[in-house]
Amino acid sequence: MIAAMPETHSVVDDFVTKLKRRQVEGSLLTARHTAIVLRQVISHQRVTHSAPAATLIKAVKSVGLRMIEANPIELTVGNVVRRVLHIIREEEASLIMANAAGVSYAAESDDDDNSAAHSVLSATALAAANRSALRAPSLHNLLESLPSVQAGTHGASSSGADSEGRSKSVDRNPKISKLKHNVIEGINELLEEIDSYHSQVAEQAIEHIHQNEVILTYGRSRALLEFLLEAKKKRSFQVFVAEGAPRYHGHTLAKELAAADLQTTLITDSAVFAMISRVNMVIVSAHAVMADGGAMVPVGLHMVALAARRHAVPFVVLAGIHKWWS
């Protein structure tokens, strides 16, 4: 297992400590901090010339396991780690395909015998890249171990001094620099996606809420608030808000909706089953979404889901991609 580089060791330790002490609250903030830490780890990580992607993957796994163990309940950390691992493999496959395309072009200008050999090499590289790129980013194939690097470095091990000299300047290799640059750009895109989570969710409000509908909601989140307020711009509807004991976040949401001149009614949790037959839709926000479709939601929401299923009421869960257990 590869430890974090000295340049990022303190950053990783500080974030792990905050996770253990529950000083980082909320899936959005946790996801953003996790992506930033992993970006710093990749930026400062020295990689081997023979297997740069494998080195980055081992570094991310090492740091990711520490962060996951610091707060196992915060599933967003593991989700972001798996996304970064997928980005690394995706960029590696892209470079392999680009190199294979270059080999194929060179083969066309060579003689027949060499052309056949280059074509076989190109086909093999393209097939390997396609297998890697087309695999879905699931928990199994994102965290599985890569093939041993020893086989690829066996031929180079005979010149110990020469390989050691190359390892000290591996980051200057243009292919390695391009891989790290592309991975960091991919993480930057992930950060932009996380930061724009609320606006992206709110943009879909018009597609789900229609004129004069009655909506039931439970709990309180910024995504849920902006979703309802965005729909209010073009729709007229009514919202029933369950108070959500024991934290009573429904009181806060009801005040915010009423302040925005949205017709809002606060009800007790025990009144949900009596009101569910009058509503057109239930809209809630989730802390995390599991691979089987289950969701981590505020306590008491299971009762609302059962009532909605009993009366065949559509049940909508708001969740960003960083909340999905891939």
Side-chain angles (χ1 to χ4, degrees), residues 63-299:
V63 175
L65 287 175
R66 287 188 58 196
M67 294 189 294
I68 293 173
E69 292 172 356
N71 189 357
I73 300 178
E74 186 54 76
L75 302 182
T76 307
V77 176
N79 294 343
V80 174
V81 171
R82 285 185 289 275
R83 284 287 301 276
V84 172
L85 290 174
H86 181 65
I87 290 173
I88 297 173
R89 289 192 171 97
E90 207 172 38
E91 295 301 333
E92 180 191 24
S94 299
L95 291 178
I96 291 176
M97 295 183 69
N99 292 337
V103 170
S104 177
Y105 176 78
E108 294 177 0
S109 61
D110 208 340
D111 54 31
D112 294 340
D113 295 336
N114 290 335
S115 177
H118 285 306
S119 298
V120 172
L121 176 60
S122 176
T124 303
L126 283 171
N130 288 331
R131 286 195 301 271
S132 177
L134 294 177
R135 289 187 301 174
S138 65
L139 174 63
H140 173 70
N141 59 37
L142 288 183
L143 293 181
E144 66 183 359
S145 299
L146 290 181
S148 175
V149 182
Q150 295 179 355
T153 59
H154 178 72
S157 62
S158 58
S159 54
D162 184 52
S163 67
E164 181 181 358
R166 288 197 304 269
S167 64
K168 292 181 180 179
S169 59
V170 287
D171 288 347
R172 299 178 183 177
N173 186 294
K175 294 182 179 179
I176 295 176
S177 299
K178 184 173 180 59
L179 174 64
K180 293 179 68 173
H181 177 269
N182 291 348
V183 171
I184 291 174
E185 285 297 318
I187 297 177
N188 289 337
E189 293 177 2
L190 174 60
L191 283 169
E192 292 178 2
E193 181 181 302
I194 293 173
D195 291 337
S196 61
Y197 156 59
H198 294 119
S199 60
Q200 290 179 356
V201 170
E203 289 174 357
Q204 305 180 44
I206 303 300
E207 301 177 6
H208 293 82
I209 299 178
H210 302 91
Q211 188 72 15
N212 298 326
E213 284 192 334
V214 179
I215 308 298
L216 174 66
T217 187
Y218 189 102
R220 191 268 177 198
S221 70
R222 180 183 168 188
L224 179 60
L225 175 63
E226 294 192 9
F227 187 85
L228 295 174
L229 294 182
E230 182 66 24
K232 177 186 175 297
K233 295 178 180 179
K234 296 184 178 181
R235 300 283 191 271
S236 176
F237 58 96
Q238 182 179 0
V239 181
F240 285 96
V241 181
E243 59 184 2
R247 295 189 175 183
Y248 298 102
H249 288 166
H251 289 246
T252 304
L253 179 63
K255 291 179 181 179
E256 293 171 333
L257 295 177
D261 295 328
L262 183 59
Q263 188 176 357
T264 307
T265 304
L266 182 67
I267 62 175
T268 61
D269 296 343
S270 58
V272 168
F273 196 84
M275 298 296 300
I276 195 69
S277 61
R278 306 181 187 181
V279 305
N280 301 104
M281 184 181 301
V282 178
I283 302 178
V284 298
S285 180
H287 184 73
V289 179
M290 306 301 180
D292 61 354
M296 285 185 63
V297 292
V299 60

